[in-house]
Amino acid sequence: MAAGLFEGQYVWHPAADDRVLASVCVDVRAGRYLSSRDALAETRGDFALRAHRSLVLASEAADSDLVERWLTEEPGPEAALMWARVAVLRALRAADARDPRTEALERIALAACERATTGDPGDPTPWVTKLAMARLHRLRDQAPRGLLTAPPGPWRLFAHVLSLDPWHREAHHRFLACFFPRYGGSVTGAWDVAAFLGQRAPVDSPLRLLPLVALVECYDPTQLLADRVWEQPQWCSTALEIHQSWLPVVAGYPFTPVLDLAYLAHALVMARCEAQARLVFTAMGPYASRMPWSVFGDPAEQLSRARRACGLPVPAA
């Protein structure tokens, strides 16, 4: 689904141009879950869409009792999945805020994930949801051969997800996050894992972006010439290769992959490849994500600055 033309304002909602999802989000905010059930049920054969929709809906439902009511009134795989999504989101938020309720919320989240995985063992989404919690538990499985730093992590849980869907986008991002410095990992470990995973992926896969994600995550503004890193040949060539191999297939996606496009656009702008970045921004249309721009300042200001560098319009002041 091609993104619409930029009409003067950014659209920050994570539903982007998934109009079904955007409509369902309105129902969730109003305390209604039937449309959520239907929107998720139609994704049972599309794991990428199922992950996207369930994650966005969880962010809308996490501050209410909607999923608990849904699970009680109409239990099923969609209700169980949404309970797992919401419970994990609550546990992660509590852990990041050092909330004293974190341990109790983690137990609830793990029980919710167990129910969802048991109810539909062929669906990778509940397992990916469980993988999101791995950064809290510091699982230390031995890394496979092929990694220079051999960082331990939740490799067995990740391998199980890949047995269900070998190129699951969210699973790769959740797994990579376990090696970020802010979660107890290291810069070298994050780069090593990102390179390992990215090189394994098909050339037209958004997973090729993983090294660029790690580069943003490990950005240190105190280092000399920190903003010039993207101009180095290895990072510039990575961005250009993704632009050449992945961007052409985006038009066939069921929704605009805004976050992935944002990482690519950012890398190209930082590498001074404005002509290529302009095409990426065009594919994004009006849709915007706070990452990766928020790492470098106010996301709207950083996004506008990048668009100006490419000769594109920005919202009026």
Side-chain angles (χ1 to χ4, degrees):
M1 181 184 297
L5 295 176
F6 181 78
E7 296 180 350
Q9 295 295 327
Y10 299 134
V11 178
W12 296 96
H13 197 284
D17 54 353
D18 184 340
R19 293 178 175 81
V20 170
L21 178 57
S23 175
V24 173
C25 285
V26 174
D27 282 348
V28 169
R29 288 193 291 271
R32 299 186 293 265
Y33 63 76
L34 292 180
S35 62
S36 296
R37 179 201 62 192
D38 296 342
L40 290 176
E42 70 181 35
T43 69
R44 289 181 186 176
D46 187 336
F47 295 143
L49 188 59
R50 189 171 182 81
H52 171 65
R53 285 185 174 177
S54 61
L55 186 60
V56 172
L57 290 174
S59 69
E60 297 284 354
D63 296 325
S64 72
D65 66 346
L66 182 139
V67 294
E68 285 83 1
R69 288 193 292 104
W70 181 0
L71 197 66
T72 300
E73 296 170 5
E74 193 173 337
E78 278 68 47
L81 172 59
M82 283 304 301
W83 184 42
R85 281 292 206 187
V86 166
V88 167
L89 181 56
R90 290 170 179 164
L92 292 175
R93 286 177 176 177
D96 291 341
R98 300 186 184 277
D99 190 311
R101 300 172 298 168
T102 297
E103 187 175 341
L105 290 173
E106 285 185 40
R107 288 197 297 269
I108 293 171
L110 289 173
C113 289
E114 186 65 27
R115 176 169 178 165
T117 56
T118 302
D120 192 357
D123 181 5
T125 322
W127 293 99
V128 175
T129 306
K130 188 175 183 179
L131 184 59
M133 301 243 328
R135 66 175 174 85
L136 302 181
H137 303 142
R138 303 300 300 152
L139 301 179
R140 310 288 290 179
D141 305 332
Q142 184 177 353
R145 295 180 179 179
L147 287 93
L148 295 175
T149 61
W155 290 95
R156 282 183 290 183
L157 179 55
F158 182 55
H160 180 73
V161 176
L162 299 192
S163 72
L164 301 173
D165 185 358
W167 309 119
H168 198 287
R169 181 200 173 279
E170 185 186 345
H172 282 75
H173 282 264
R174 295 292 191 183
F175 181 68
L176 177 59
C178 294
F179 302 92
F180 290 164
R182 61 183 163 129
Y183 297 138
S186 67
V187 171
T188 55
W191 282 348
D192 196 10
V193 172
F196 176 76
L197 298 178
Q199 289 167 3
R200 291 176 62 254
V203 295
D204 61 350
S205 168
L207 297 178
R208 290 278 177 160
L209 283 157
L210 289 171
L212 300 180
V213 173
L215 191 61
V216 169
E217 182 65 32
C218 299
Y219 171 73
D220 182 357
T222 66
Q223 290 187 346
L224 185 64
L225 301 177
D227 290 344
R228 303 293 294 272
V229 171
W230 284 263
E231 297 179 40
Q232 294 178 5
Q234 70 180 101
W235 301 117
C236 183
S237 62
T238 296
L240 289 172
E241 287 169 5
I242 296 167
H243 176 272
Q244 180 179 356
S245 300
W246 173 65
L247 185 62
V249 308
V250 168
Y253 279 34
F255 60 89
T256 300
V258 179
L259 185 59
D260 290 330
L261 288 168
Y263 273 101
L264 179 56
H266 171 265
L268 290 168
V269 170
M270 296 293 281
R272 301 182 185 274
C273 299
E274 289 86 358
Q276 291 83 357
R278 182 185 178 97
L279 296 176
V280 180
F281 281 126
T282 300
M284 290 171 65
Y287 304 106
S289 64
R290 286 171 173 78
M291 286 292 287
W293 316 107
S294 60
V295 172
F296 305 88
D298 177 81
E301 293 177 1
Q302 293 295 317
L303 175 55
S304 292
R305 179 181 178 184
R307 288 180 61 93
R308 287 193 197 97
C310 299
L312 292 170
V314 300

